[in-house]
Amino acid sequence: ILLPKQRIMPKRITEELVRKRAEHNNCEITTLEELSLHQLDIERIEHLDKWCRDLKILYLQSNLIPKIENVGRLKKLEYINLALNNITRIENLKGCESLTKLDLTVNFVGDVLSVESLQDNVHLRELFLTGNPCTDYDGYRDYVIATLPQLRWLDGKEITKSERIQAMQNFVELRDKIERQQVLYLKKQEQEKREKEAKKKAKVELKKKRDPGFDGNWYTDPQAHVRQKQSEGGNNGVNGDKGGTQQSKQPQGDSVKDAVTINTKCAQAADSLEDSSEDSSGDELEGYTPESRLATHRYIEKKRQEGKPKETVEKTTPRAFFRDGKPLNMNEGKYDFTLTDDEQANLYSLELCCPRFLDTSLIDADVQPHYVRVLVKGKYFQLSLQEEVSPDQSVAKRSQTTGNLIITMPKAKSVLVALKETKQVEPAVMKKADNTNKDSGKKSVELLEFDGTSKRNDLFNIVNQSTHKMTKDVTSKQKVKEQVPDTDFVDNSDVPPLV
């Protein structure tokens, strides 16, 4: 039984792939400025003009892209690398207003007149077309220099002023010469394609003729081969050949075995023909063309898939519970963790140390009433809980600084917690300083004293009597001093009194 061939699906640009390549930007694709999608066997550019509007640098080398498309909305794009692809024409780059460098090394650009589409990219300074068929045209470099006056470097060589002036002078003749060479190249390519298709059809027809077997007959009936031998033996027996009689006496079981072996040989021959036709895929597409490169890649990919060992044994989940149903504690990844029981907030808090730059899509958390389970990169972490928690109110977050997974699990049973007694602050009472301060050499300071027993404050007796007496003595002394006249004092009546 011949099984149908497995079709190799082309790889596409997906959101998951772009986010995986944007780990340096915290997996954010809207603000992404640099993206590398090289050596991924991508066959089409798509979605980037919608997801990554702020792209400045885009690497797409070593893929299978046949056409430049879906990059016209990238207004901030400065550099795009499309080396080692299947591009045959320069197009759809008019909207890239900030483009300064374009790399199309080792492609299939034969339409050199398509370079004129880059005239609107006024900031373009470097262009690489090395390894393309258009570089074999006579006058290719002068034509590109005259067509793009904003260029400073072409194929890694700086453009001089004299070179540019000479190219501008001969621009009309150069364009006619380039156009004639391009037409001849395109005609040659079409003719080669027709020849290859004709060869392919001839091989398919030859294969159909050989499909029944070596002699063109189907061996579906085991008895048919036996009857054919018997008829041949009967004819030989009529002619008097002894060998014919011996063949007619052959047991029927052996003939059936021979027919089965012939059927198996025919199937093996058909398989070998298919393998030989697949192996000759490189011979069918002679030369280095986009079709031959794509066919070679798919052939290599198919052989690679056939060479991979089939995973027959599936990975089973480890034992997670006792026989009585109690959950087990396990840590396959040997990750550090911390479980805190916050009695005041009535919840459990689990902090699991995950790799800092691990993608969150590789972490799966599951909170149950009596245990919590986390799957990190296919490795299980499970922890049993002493008290029942409510999974609906649990929250799982990742720290942006450390990358750790923090799971808060409120307890199902609410607990009444007694409030702490708050001490009432009594009004401060200003007391007199003790006499012990005298021994230490410090002067005693008299402070205002508040008596809590008195219901009414005496505002008129705030000042102490001793201080009042002291002020009276000072004033009396001053009066006495004023009454004593000075010896040099002369009382002049013309001078008015000071008071």
Side-chain angles (χ1 to χ4, degrees):
I1 300 172
L2 298 177
L3 297 175
K5 297 180 182 179
Q6 294 181 354
R7 185 179 178 184
I8 300 173
M9 298 300 294
K11 294 185 179 179
R12 304 182 64 180
I13 298 175
T14 59
E15 184 178 355
E16 182 181 359
L17 176 62
V18 176
R19 289 191 183 278
K20 187 177 180 180
R21 294 283 177 160
E23 290 183 352
H24 60 281
N25 197 39
N26 295 326
C27 297
E28 295 180 4
I29 62 176
T30 54
T31 59
L32 192 62
E33 295 184 357
E34 183 176 348
L35 180 61
S36 179
L37 297 173
H38 62 283
Q39 296 180 351
L40 294 175
D41 301 331
I42 298 170
E43 297 188 14
R44 188 185 177 190
I45 305 174
E46 53 186 349
H47 306 307
L48 296 180
D49 56 339
K50 299 177 183 178
W51 297 341
C52 311
R53 289 291 186 90
D54 295 336
L55 266 184
K56 293 183 179 180
I57 301 174
L58 179 59
Y59 296 100
L60 288 169
Q61 66 269 25
S62 300
N63 285 296
L64 301 170
I65 300 170
K67 183 180 179 181
I68 303 174
E69 57 184 344
N70 298 323
V71 293
R73 296 181 182 178
L74 301 177
K75 304 297 182 181
K76 299 180 182 180
L77 187 64
E78 298 177 0
Y79 172 44
I80 179 171
N81 192 335
L82 289 165
L84 292 167
N85 280 282
N86 296 341
I87 296 170
T88 58
R89 180 181 173 84
I90 302 173
E91 56 187 347
N92 300 325
L93 290 173
K94 186 177 180 180
C96 301
E97 300 172 354
S98 304
L99 187 64
T100 59
K101 186 177 179 180
L102 176 61
D103 193 349
L104 291 170
T105 305
V106 191
N107 276 273
F108 300 93
V109 180
D111 188 2
V112 72
L113 296 178
S114 62
V115 175
E116 296 176 358
S117 63
L118 299 174
Q119 290 178 348
D120 295 328
N121 302 99
V122 294
H123 299 288
L124 186 63
R125 296 294 179 267
E126 297 182 53
L127 178 63
F128 292 88
L129 291 171
T130 308
N132 287 275
C134 63
T135 56
D136 298 332
Y137 297 167
D138 187 15
Y140 143 78
R141 182 175 175 85
D142 293 338
Y143 171 74
V144 175
I145 292 172
T147 306
L148 303 175
Q150 70 271 27
L151 272 185
R152 296 292 178 267
W153 295 79
L154 178 60
D155 296 335
K157 295 181 182 180
E158 189 176 2
I159 302 171
T160 59
K161 291 183 179 179
S162 60
E163 195 176 8
R164 189 181 299 278
I165 293 169
Q166 187 177 0
M168 293 294 292
Q169 291 175 352
N170 303 325
F171 177 69
V172 179
E173 298 176 359
L174 284 171
R175 195 179 191 284
D176 294 338
K177 188 191 296 185
I178 292 291
E179 191 172 358
R180 288 194 297 270
Q181 295 178 22
Q182 181 174 318
V183 170
L184 292 174
Y185 171 76
L186 295 176
K187 286 183 178 179
K188 184 180 178 182
Q189 290 292 110
E190 290 179 0
Q191 185 177 359
E192 289 179 356
K193 283 184 181 179
R194 291 172 185 172
E195 292 177 357
K196 289 171 186 176
E197 289 178 359
K199 287 182 180 179
K200 192 173 181 181
K201 288 181 180 179
K203 287 190 176 182
V204 170
E205 292 178 359
L206 183 62
K207 182 183 175 183
K208 286 181 179 179
K209 291 179 180 179
R210 292 179 179 179
D211 276 344
F214 293 106
D215 53 357
N217 296 322
W218 287 99
Y219 291 97
T220 54
D221 187 9
Q223 301 295 331
H225 183 65
V226 177
R227 287 195 294 271
Q228 185 178 359
K229 283 189 174 183
Q230 289 177 356
S231 61
E232 291 177 357
N235 294 330
N236 293 331
V238 172
N239 295 329
D241 188 10
K242 295 181 181 180
T245 57
Q246 291 178 359
Q247 289 180 358
S248 61
K249 294 180 181 179
Q250 186 179 0
Q252 187 175 359
D254 296 339
S255 63
V256 172
K257 289 182 181 180
D258 294 339
V260 172
T261 54
I262 290 173
N263 286 332
T264 55
K265 287 181 180 180
C266 291
Q268 291 176 359
D271 294 339
S272 63
L273 284 172
E274 288 185 358
D275 295 338
S276 63
S277 63
E278 291 175 358
D279 293 338
S280 62
S281 60
D283 298 334
E284 292 178 3
L285 301 170
E286 295 177 356
Y288 187 66
T289 60
E291 293 80 8
S292 65
R293 187 168 181 263
L294 186 61
T296 304
H297 169 265
R298 289 181 177 174
Y299 174 74
I300 294 171
E301 187 68 21
K302 185 177 180 181
K303 291 296 181 182
R304 189 183 301 167
Q305 290 180 0
E306 291 176 356
K308 287 182 180 179
K310 296 181 180 180
E311 297 180 358
T312 54
V313 180
E314 296 181 357
K315 186 178 179 181
T316 57
T317 57
R319 182 184 176 187
F321 300 95
F322 287 106
R323 292 182 179 178
D324 56 356
K326 292 183 179 180
L328 288 168
N329 295 332
M330 57 181 174
N331 188 0
E332 289 186 342
K334 298 182 180 179
Y335 298 114
D336 296 333
F337 68 94
T338 305
L339 180 66
T340 57
D341 186 2
D342 192 349
E343 296 181 354
Q344 191 67 27
N346 194 28
L347 55 83
Y348 285 113
S349 178
L350 174 65
E351 183 175 0
L352 184 64
C353 297
C354 302
R356 182 177 180 181
F357 299 103
L358 180 67
D359 192 4
T360 310
S361 61
L362 299 176
I363 302 175
D364 186 15
D366 182 20
V367 179
Q368 297 295 332
H370 297 285
Y371 68 92
V372 56
R373 181 186 297 172
V374 182
L375 183 64
V376 183
K377 293 180 67 175
K379 297 181 179 179
Y380 285 90
F381 171 86
Q382 182 171 299
L383 195 64
S384 62
L385 304 174
Q386 295 181 355
E387 299 184 27
E388 185 179 354
V389 298
S390 56
D392 297 339
Q393 300 177 1
S394 301
V395 179
K397 297 181 180 179
R398 284 197 73 184
S399 175
Q400 294 184 354
T401 55
T402 60
N404 295 346
L405 180 66
I406 301 172
I407 304 176
T408 56
M409 300 167 285
K411 297 180 181 178
K413 295 181 180 179
S414 59
V415 179
L416 298 176
V417 181
L419 296 175
K420 295 183 179 179
E421 296 181 357
T422 57
K423 295 182 179 180
Q424 296 181 356
V425 180
E426 297 179 356
V429 179
M430 308 301 290
K431 297 182 179 180
K432 294 182 179 180
D434 297 334
N435 295 328
T436 56
N437 294 333
K438 297 180 181 179
D439 299 336
S440 61
K442 297 181 181 179
K443 295 182 179 180
S444 61
V445 181
E446 295 182 0
L447 303 175
L448 296 177
E449 185 176 355
F450 176 76
D451 188 5
T453 58
S454 61
K455 296 182 181 179
R456 184 177 178 182
N457 296 331
D458 192 0
L459 301 178
F460 300 99
N461 296 326
I462 292 176
V463 181
N464 197 5
Q465 295 180 359
S466 60
T467 56
H468 186 63
K469 289 180 180 180
M470 290 174 65
T471 53
K472 287 183 177 180
D473 294 340
V474 170
T475 53
S476 62
K477 288 180 180 179
Q478 289 179 354
K479 291 181 179 179
V480 172
K481 288 181 180 179
E482 289 177 356
Q483 292 176 359
V484 177
D486 193 4
T487 55
D488 298 333
F489 177 75
V490 176
D491 190 8
N492 190 353
S493 59
D494 295 336
V495 179
L498 297 175
V499 180

